[in-house]
Amino acid sequence: MTRIDDVVADRRGWRAMLGPLERVSEGRAWGYYLLLPSLFLVLAVVLYPTLWGMVLSFREMRLNRIDLGTGFVGLRHYADLIDDPIFWLSLKNTVIWVVGAVVGELALGLAAALVLNRELPGFKFLGVLVLLPWFLPNVVAGHMWALMLDPRLGVINDMLVNVGILDSYRAWFADPNAALFAVLMVEIWHGFPFFALLMLAGLKAIPADLYEAASIDGARAIQKFWFVTLPQLKMIIAATVILRVIGLVNSPDILLILTGGGPGRATQVLSLYAFIKANKEFNFGYASAISVVMFVLLMAFAYGYVKLSNAMKE
Amino acid sequence: MIVDRRSLMKAAAAAPLAALLPRIAAAQQGNINYWHHFTSETEFRGLERVMALFRTRYPNIRLTQENIPNPEYMSKVTTAVVSNSRPNAAMVVAERVNDMVAMGGLTDLTQRIAGWDRAASFPADRWRGATVRDKVYGVPAFTFVDWMYYRKDWFDEAGLAPPRTFEEFQAAAIRMTDPARNRFGFGLRGGAGGAAFVVDMFESFGSPIVVEGRMAIDKPKAVQALTFWSELMTRHRAVPPSAPNDGYRQIMEAFKIGQTAMVWHHTGSLTEIAAAMRAGQYATAPRPAGPAAHIARLTYLFNGIMNPANADAAWAWITFWADPDAAIAFLDATGYFPASPQTAADPRITGNPLYVAAVETTRFGRLPPAFVGAAGWFDNVVLPEFQKVLVGNATPTAAVDAMVRGLEAALR
């Protein structure tokens, strides 16, 4: 046999072995088979914990009170939530926190993207610099800002006093009227690059013809932005806002580091309240009920927001 | 072979020891993981010294350590218990013992302690913090003794002695305050960890907290206590304006940079203070006495076994902390008091004038209150309600009412 015959025989052997697989891969079920590993992972690490969390919200589950058992309590936790003033305060703070952060981050991110979209020397490097806050883990960013805003050693207070905006150093996180605002500033600084990055990608994808046509029609810069840029970015804005809202509602880490929810619960949000209930009081049933309420609110928000975005598109 | 009475007696005596040999050998091998919440460089240095000594003594035990930040400690412990991924041994403070035992996170050590030769060197009160329903769940490793640091140079300049009573303390705090120079009399802890001082105040004014598992706060006394404590800020302005958010790091920095004249903490921070300040700038004193009781805590740090696997090796590790060599090595690195009075009588402690206050405190100091739900009540109710008073959003009466309701709910 020649060398070519050997190769042909080899291929025939492989084909015979892979024959059944080839047939399956041509069938309609192949796509589902390929999905199986991911589906298994999603079921194991997302769906199961989520469903179990929901089940917990209907049960007694206090880890440090085993004597109470883990029986079914129906809607008791939800009824308790209605009478819990801290829950309502946390809900109010969550709305302020999320709306403030998303609006601030979106505005700053869009502005940064518009600036960085210009083809000027050094802007690629600037683009990387702008992204730096997003690269920082929340914990690092939180501790860094805690030091920068420190009423004794903080450089921000020093700058504000030197330029005459403040008379003396201010304890930002100790004042209930300033604490949420101060943490919002930190969050906006930390989160705006997320919007900037995606907006910049969106801006790069807008065809130049649209701007040229607008120029021929006599549109000024602001009109181009309003009638060309914004409509073209609408889907990206919708997606980023939903992702960011979910992230902000669910992660209390910056608040936990900077204020711990204080002073006097002035910065207490729902995720932090659930965290405290689970990890300080070990009341997993009640914490699960708070989490389920957050889940439902987020689903309702996402549904409503997508509906609204589609309606605006049409 | 002649078997006489003497050789029979020797064989009889040796038999139990021979039976123990495999057990001892087993105790000297295996892998164990130790969870702790040490934070500072000095603490890590001390831990490394103890671990080095342990490795020399038990070369076949592979010991690894894992640092869990204190604020997240109970979250990690809870997760480990729920997911059954527990470390072999873990650090346990007295106020967490009840919660950890209740969630099934600690192994009962009563039998092991009964057979431990060093157990007798610890007085009965050393075990109380780790005892739940007559079972012991931890071995004392070292202790923190509450005391006060004060600016000796400022007090000398003002001709003041360190305060011995709350009245003197308040007067000194007011006297030392000069906002124009950014100087305040006292570093009040109103942020993380501040709840413990509120509870100390209640007891100092004569109000118990929990008696026989029931809420026992005496409201009028508690209101009086909270008024006294919060008025340091709201009325006398004798604490930094940042007090409602000041945790450990902030109160220590304030003292070290010369913003505050007095700060309450425990012996654990002496090394840090000594490294940052000149001798003569600062001194230590017992915490002042309240109108009804003189309260300062003796907080014993225990080590417990969380995982039944490799329990013998874990037991070797947690009892090694009682070894005088280990305790002195740890003291050298950190300044932390040994839990055993025998070791605490070391001349390096008794001969150091800074430690006089701690030695005095050990005579009247008491254990922190411990009951199931204490940690949650401290952090979720006492602290935020106290902060509300500090920032003017609640009266002491309203705050005490909320604390009472919270405590009743926690104990229900």
Side-chain angles (χ1 to χ4, degrees):
Chain A
M1 279 173 75
T2 64
R3 172 109 183 107
I4 292 170
D5 291 336
D6 286 345
V7 171
V8 170
D10 264 4
R11 283 186 179 167
R12 279 184 187 148
W14 277 108
R15 194 164 284 173
M17 278 170 60
L18 294 174
L21 197 60
E22 274 186 358
R23 278 194 297 281
V24 173
S25 70
E26 285 163 8
R28 293 185 63 192
W30 180 240
Y32 293 103
Y33 291 142
L34 289 177
L35 276 176
L36 272 179
S38 330
L39 192 65
F40 172 76
L41 272 178
V42 169
L43 285 175
V45 303
V46 179
L47 197 63
Y48 173 73
T50 307
L51 290 177
W52 183 239
M54 288 178 177
V55 170
L56 278 187
S57 72
F58 299 105
R59 303 187 80 93
E60 186 69 78
M61 179 63 78
R62 286 172 68 175
L63 282 191
N64 60 352
R65 291 294 301 276
I66 291 171
D67 55 307
L68 297 177
T70 56
F72 181 72
V73 295
L75 293 171
R76 197 186 79 199
H77 294 316
Y78 294 95
D80 289 347
L81 277 181
I82 292 169
D83 294 331
D84 183 354
I86 303 171
F87 168 76
W88 292 107
L89 175 69
S90 304
L91 182 61
K92 187 187 100 184
N93 286 343
T94 304
V95 173
I96 296 171
W97 164 248
V98 172
V99 171
V102 167
V103 169
E105 287 174 17
L106 175 62
L108 205 56
L110 185 57
L114 287 169
V115 171
L116 291 170
N117 194 34
R118 291 158 188 266
E119 298 292 336
L120 290 173
F123 266 43
K124 284 191 174 155
F125 176 69
L126 272 180
V128 176
L129 276 187
V130 163
L131 288 177
L132 276 181
W134 183 251
F135 295 151
L136 282 180
N138 286 351
V139 177
V140 177
H143 284 297
M144 190 179 85
W145 277 96
L147 195 61
M148 284 168 59
L149 289 166
D150 187 274
R152 283 163 281 269
L153 312 160
V155 67
I156 304 283
N157 271 317
D158 203 39
M159 284 162 57
L160 293 176
V161 168
N162 282 334
V163 297
I165 295 175
L166 289 181
D167 293 334
S168 59
Y169 284 16
R170 183 162 186 185
W172 298 95
F173 302 122
D175 178 352
N177 299 315
L180 193 56
F181 169 76
V183 188
L184 261 176
M185 290 299 106
V186 176
E187 178 52 51
I188 289 170
W189 170 86
H190 187 244
F192 89 90
F194 170 75
F195 284 93
L197 182 69
L198 295 174
M199 296 295 160
L200 188 57
L203 287 174
K204 299 270 185 211
I206 299 175
D209 304 0
L210 295 178
Y211 291 108
E212 283 166 16
S215 296
I216 291 166
D217 289 344
R220 290 188 302 249
I222 189 81
Q223 289 166 316
K224 284 182 197 170
F225 172 74
W226 193 254
F227 294 110
V228 178
T229 309
L230 266 189
Q232 291 293 314
L233 289 178
K234 199 177 285 175
M235 287 314 291
I236 291 180
I237 291 174
T240 47
V241 165
I242 288 180
L243 287 174
R244 201 67 199 110
V245 167
I246 292 170
L248 284 163
V249 169
N250 285 333
S251 42
D253 28 16
I254 280 193
L255 281 163
L256 190 63
I257 292 163
L258 292 177
T259 64
R265 301 195 184 93
T267 57
Q268 177 95 287
V269 293
L270 279 179
S271 53
L272 192 54
Y273 191 39
F275 172 83
I276 287 170
K277 278 284 173 190
N279 291 296
K280 302 273 183 177
E281 288 184 18
F282 315 110
N283 192 343
F284 279 69
Y286 199 76
S288 296
I290 298 171
S291 304
V292 170
V293 170
M294 286 165 55
F295 178 77
V296 170
L297 290 177
L298 275 176
M299 292 285 282
F301 164 77
Y303 179 78
Y305 189 74
V306 169
K307 276 273 184 195
L308 188 67
S309 299
N310 288 340
M312 283 168 68
K313 193 180 171 189
E314 284 155 16
Chain B
M1 184 182 175
I2 300 167
V3 180
D4 58 7
R5 183 172 161 274
R6 188 176 295 253
S7 54
L8 187 67
M9 291 288 281
K10 277 182 185 169
L17 287 176
L20 275 175
L21 274 176
R23 187 179 171 82
I24 291 166
Q28 293 175 343
Q29 60 190 346
N31 296 340
I32 53 168
N33 187 22
Y34 173 60
W35 279 12
H36 61 86
H37 46 78
F38 288 126
T39 314
S40 67
E41 198 182 321
T42 52
E43 285 177 330
F44 272 92
R45 208 178 303 137
L47 176 64
E48 278 165 15
R49 286 189 192 178
V50 178
M51 287 176 70
L53 289 168
F54 181 76
R55 286 190 192 108
T56 310
R57 182 81 56 85
Y58 298 95
N60 295 326
I61 296 178
R62 187 171 171 273
L63 170 68
T64 52
Q65 56 85 20
E66 196 171 333
N67 171 248
I68 315 288
N70 199 22
E72 285 101 56
Y73 196 72
M74 285 307 283
S75 316
K76 286 279 284 182
V77 164
T78 311
T79 311
V81 170
V82 172
S83 60
N84 203 17
S85 55
R86 306 150 186 244
N88 300 89
M91 180 184 280
V92 192
V93 293
E95 57 262 40
R96 288 173 175 162
V97 168
N98 278 274
D99 283 334
M100 288 178 72
V101 170
M103 68 175 73
L106 288 173
T107 303
D108 176 11
L109 302 174
T110 315
Q111 290 299 321
R112 284 182 183 272
I113 290 165
W116 183 39
D117 54 358
R118 285 193 195 282
S121 69
F122 293 93
D125 68 336
R126 301 294 193 271
W127 301 101
R128 209 184 307 146
T131 304
V132 180
R133 289 184 291 279
D134 299 328
K135 291 180 179 171
V136 187
Y137 292 88
V139 175
F142 53 91
T143 180
F144 293 129
V145 182
D146 279 358
W147 63 7
M148 180 180 86
Y149 298 99
Y150 67 97
R151 285 296 300 247
K152 187 171 185 314
D153 48 354
W154 297 359
F155 272 72
D156 288 348
E157 194 182 298
L160 285 177
R164 306 293 295 185
T165 64
F166 275 16
E167 280 173 6
E168 290 177 13
F169 166 72
Q170 189 190 63
I174 294 167
R175 173 100 182 264
M176 289 291 170
T177 297
D178 183 359
R181 296 164 70 191
N182 192 30
R183 185 184 282 188
F184 297 91
F186 179 59
L188 180 76
R189 191 165 174 174
F197 294 95
V198 175
V199 172
D200 289 355
M201 282 297 122
F202 286 180
E203 290 190 19
S204 299
F205 277 77
S207 168
I209 309 299
V210 171
V211 175
E212 292 175 357
R214 292 179 184 279
M215 197 291 293
I217 292 177
D218 181 321
K219 278 193 197 178
K221 288 175 180 167
V223 170
Q224 206 185 346
L226 195 59
T227 303
F228 170 82
W229 195 229
S230 58
E231 280 189 345
L232 286 169
M233 177 166 189
T234 57
R235 184 175 166 201
H236 306 299
R237 309 280 172 199
V239 305
S242 58
N245 193 48
D246 283 350
Y248 168 75
R249 181 49 46 211
Q250 288 77 25
I251 60 166
M252 296 315 281
E253 291 303 328
F255 185 72
K256 288 193 291 189
I257 65 170
Q259 193 191 27
T260 53
M262 293 180 281
V263 66
W264 290 7
H265 196 242
H266 54 62
T267 44
S269 46
L270 178 61
T271 316
E272 181 183 338
I273 295 282
M277 301 175 79
R278 292 192 310 274
Q281 267 190 320
Y282 72 97
T284 56
R287 269 172 37 174
H294 197 177
I295 301 295
R297 306 294 179 187
L298 305 174
T299 308
Y300 293 98
L301 264 291
F302 298 89
N303 285 317
I305 295 179
M306 283 192 70
N307 195 331
N310 278 340
D312 288 338
W315 172 251
W317 166 241
I318 68 173
T319 49
F320 185 71
W321 285 80
D323 186 286
D325 289 345
I328 297 288
F330 196 67
L331 169 74
D332 282 344
T334 61
Y336 293 3
F337 259 47
S340 158
Q342 287 175 3
T343 319
D346 187 276
R348 277 171 290 186
I349 295 173
T350 52
N352 185 340
L354 284 172
Y355 278 122
V356 170
V359 173
E360 186 182 334
T361 303
T362 56
R363 295 188 198 113
F364 67 84
R366 57 173 84 172
L367 296 173
F371 52 91
V372 173
W377 180 65
F378 271 53
D379 289 346
N380 300 347
V381 183
V382 177
L383 186 62
E385 294 303 329
F386 173 51
Q387 287 176 335
K388 279 188 193 173
V389 179
L390 289 181
V391 299
N393 285 351
T395 61
T397 308
V400 167
D401 284 341
M403 289 175 198
V404 166
R405 282 196 303 275
L407 183 55
E408 283 169 344
L411 297 171
R412 203 174 293 142

